[in-house]
Amino acid sequence: MPSALILIADGTEEMEFTITYDTLVRAGVSCTSSFVPDSNDKTASVSPHVAKCSRGLRIMPDTYFDESESGPDKYDLLVIPGGAKGADTMSTSPAVQELVRKYITIGKKVGMICAGSLAAQTSRLPKQPLTSHPSVKQALERGFDYSESPVVISGGLITSRGPGTAFPFALTLVELLCGREKREEVRAPMIFPESTPF
């Protein structure tokens, strides 16, 4: 069974986290959510800490982030959601940066959505196709081949734009982990309108 580690922090965008988590679970992917603390917040030491997301929704993660328990030897996919504050916490974490490089280096998958794509820059990934929320486009377009496509696949790196592209992002991750047939199996009961382009 494929497995995914989905990071969460205070300020994570709710839709990007929950839609990705839910869609992967529907495909039979074993998902674990892991709370990444703000390095400046000395009160977030209880495990698991409740993450207060960008719109105030509180989510209880499965675990408290531990780099030694989060590697590509344990999971097939690492997901970094957006939300300005949450994405900043994750992308500036040296441990998360190291993890991103490890996953990419050994050929595992890394999904980044919205401002979460900043982690590609801070992790010093090489120049390649990428997308993000427009609010961080300027920070990324010099170091990457920037695209405004809803989802961009570049080897093991999969990026997307924001809450409105969370479903195609999540379904793309399903396809990459479980195959095209599983993607269609998961998509059908979600009852998207017939004109939905993904």
Side-chain angles (χ1 to χ4, degrees):
M1 174 190 299
S3 57
L5 181 68
I6 306 175
L7 303 184
I8 188 169
D10 288 331
T12 289
E13 210 295 320
E14 291 90 331
M15 291 173 63
E16 294 161 5
F17 174 84
T18 57
I19 289 170
T20 303
Y21 193 109
D22 178 282
T23 303
L24 288 168
V25 167
R26 287 170 189 254
V29 177
S30 175
C31 293
T32 301
S33 57
S34 184
F35 180 80
V36 180
D38 182 334
S39 61
N40 297 317
D41 183 1
K42 304 308 177 193
T43 66
S45 58
V46 178
S47 179
H49 179 82
V50 175
K52 184 177 180 183
C53 295
S54 63
R55 300 317 185 262
L57 182 68
R58 295 177 185 270
I59 296 176
M60 176 73 78
D62 297 312
T63 64
Y64 197 79
F65 181 72
D66 177 349
E67 186 182 359
S68 68
E69 296 297 320
S70 304
D73 57 323
K74 302 189 185 318
Y75 300 96
D76 300 300
L77 167 68
L78 173 67
V79 178
I80 302 177
K85 184 178 185 300
D88 181 67
T89 295
M90 294 180 216
S91 67
T92 59
S93 163
V96 171
Q97 295 165 10
E98 179 64 21
L99 213 53
V100 167
R101 290 190 292 269
K102 284 180 181 176
Y103 273 76
I104 294 294
T105 298
I106 72 162
K108 293 288 181 85
K109 309 286 185 217
V110 177
M112 301 175 182
I113 182 169
C114 194
S117 295
L118 287 170
Q121 179 188 60
T122 59
S123 300
R124 300 186 303 281
L125 296 186
K127 186 171 186 175
Q128 59 192 294
L130 167 149
T131 193
S132 71
H133 192 271
S135 64
V136 296
K137 175 182 177 179
Q138 190 172 2
L140 293 168
E141 62 185 348
R142 285 185 302 248
F144 295 91
D145 295 323
Y146 196 87
S147 169
E148 295 187 356
S149 297
V151 180
V152 173
I153 303 170
S154 175
L157 179 65
I158 303 91
T159 54
S160 189
R161 306 212 73 203
T165 63
F167 277 112
F169 172 67
L171 289 166
T172 298
L173 296 177
V174 166
E175 182 173 350
L176 293 171
L177 288 177
C178 308
R180 179 76 185 180
E181 186 175 327
K182 179 60 74 173
R183 175 185 176 135
E184 292 309 311
E185 180 186 318
V186 168
R187 183 189 183 281
M190 290 180 166
I191 316 297
F192 293 106
E194 287 186 19
S195 60
T196 302
F198 54 81

